[in-house]
Amino acid sequence: MTDRPLTLMAVHAHPDDEATGTGGVLARYAAEGIRTVLVTCTDGACGDGPGGVKPGEAGHDPAAVAAMRRQELEASCEVLKVGHLEMLGYGDSGMMGWAANDAPGSFWTTPVDEAAARLAELIRTYRPDVVVTYDENGFYGHPDHIQANRITSRALELAGATPKLYWTTAPRSMMARFGEVMRELGGDWDEPGTEESELPEIGLPDEEITTWVDTTGFGGQKFDALAAHASQGENIFFLKMGKEKFTELMGVETFVRVQDTTGAALPENDLFAGLR
């Protein structure tokens, strides 16, 4: 044992991703005295501008959007008690098929080894015991999420690091409940993977999920962290739920363990199982 604190590093693509997918674990483990590090890979410039204006529409200023989202990200980190925020600063690549995918400086066009070398330096600095990022499809096919997965895998190789590595996911049972709640609140919801939906089926069957972390006690913080990203219209649905229903629906965060040296039994309910 050493005096070095146990450390969680979450590698995310955009400002606000940290709140949706890992807000609960970031808040929970910070409260438990674990050092938390958030790496945000892009500037979020392809997000909504003031009034919900979209990229390419009149009044959308990518530089102003990036600056606004940086402020929102810092506010979210304060709510979640994130200990260290590191921003790689690559250009937001937008959704798959957008012209922004190929823009100079976009994260999607950045050579994996180039971005991975920068992340590897952060891994050497913080020496995380647990690293969390997206799966190989970026959860739902977003190019920046896919790239985050690629650079994380490569960075761990470059750094010679073997922390526990997890990919975020969602149980299919929760996705079904999510659809029910969205319809109850008057939202449109085409079940992913159906003929009516443009989205591929996302998440995993419950039995394929290795790690279920109860973050119910931190649902309020997670809600407030998401509210800090108020400029992004896609977050409005979550906020309409109110804290109680939001916590009920989002109070467990789920992962797939893809790298481990501890031998901790599966399924597990703690990202740090086998480490403390």
Side-chain angles (χ1 to χ4, degrees):
M1 297 296 289
T2 70
D3 293 332
R4 182 178 64 83
L6 284 173
T7 300
L8 167 65
M9 176 180 283
V11 182
H12 281 293
H14 312 99
D16 80 1
D17 290 333
E18 81 291 338
T20 338
T22 57
V25 292
L26 286 168
R28 171 181 163 167
Y29 290 122
E32 292 180 6
I34 288 171
R35 180 171 60 170
T36 53
V37 181
L38 171 63
V39 180
T40 301
C41 297
T42 79
D43 59 9
C46 287
D48 292 352
V53 62
K54 305 294 183 184
E57 295 179 349
H60 188 278
D61 179 346
V65 170
M68 173 178 63
R69 298 195 71 184
R70 169 67 184 252
Q71 292 178 346
E72 292 177 335
L73 177 60
E74 291 173 350
S76 171
C77 286
E78 186 172 344
V79 168
L80 298 173
K81 308 303 181 187
V82 170
H84 303 270
L85 170 62
E86 300 283 355
M87 297 194 71
L88 299 186
Y90 292 107
D92 189 340
S93 309
M95 300 297 286
M96 192 67 81
W98 287 15
N101 294 175
D102 302 317
S106 76
F107 190 37
W108 186 239
T109 61
T110 300
V112 169
D113 275 3
E114 178 184 318
R118 295 181 59 198
L119 181 57
E121 280 302 307
L122 295 176
I123 290 170
R124 293 186 189 103
T125 297
Y126 291 107
R127 297 167 60 199
D129 301 279
V130 172
V131 173
V132 175
T133 191
Y134 315 98
D135 64 21
E136 293 165 311
N137 189 48
F139 188 58
Y140 66 98
H142 193 296
D144 288 330
H145 291 216
I146 294 170
Q147 187 77 328
N149 167 278
R150 292 172 177 171
I151 75 159
T152 301
S153 296
R154 181 60 177 143
L156 291 172
E157 293 176 2
L158 293 173
T162 56
K164 294 180 80 176
L165 174 64
Y166 292 88
W167 293 344
T168 57
T169 191
R172 295 266 168 81
S173 60
M174 188 275 281
M175 295 305 298
R177 176 62 180 141
F178 182 87
E180 292 172 7
V181 171
M182 191 163 183
R183 285 187 288 268
E184 287 170 8
L185 294 175
D188 294 324
W189 176 257
D190 294 327
E191 203 69 43
T194 64
E195 291 182 7
E196 297 81 12
S197 177
E198 296 180 0
L199 291 173
E201 193 166 30
I202 57 179
L204 290 172
D206 292 27
E207 62 272 15
E208 293 182 22
I209 293 172
T210 65
T211 311
W212 304 69
V213 183
D214 184 357
T215 60
T216 306
F218 303 90
Q221 276 177 265
K222 183 171 177 173
F223 182 94
D224 289 343
L226 198 60
H229 296 282
S231 71
Q232 302 310 298
E234 65 266 22
N235 296 331
I236 300 303
F237 164 71
F238 291 103
L239 303 179
K240 281 182 178 177
M241 293 182 192
K243 285 187 180 180
E244 184 175 347
K245 187 172 286 291
F246 176 86
T247 300
E248 174 194 334
L249 188 66
M250 311 282 282
V252 175
E253 293 183 347
T254 51
F255 307 86
V256 174
R257 193 174 83 189
V258 294
Q259 177 175 295
D260 174 61
T261 58
T262 70
L266 295 176
E268 60 188 0
N269 60 11
D270 179 8
L271 297 178
F272 289 84
L275 292 169
R276 56 179 178 171

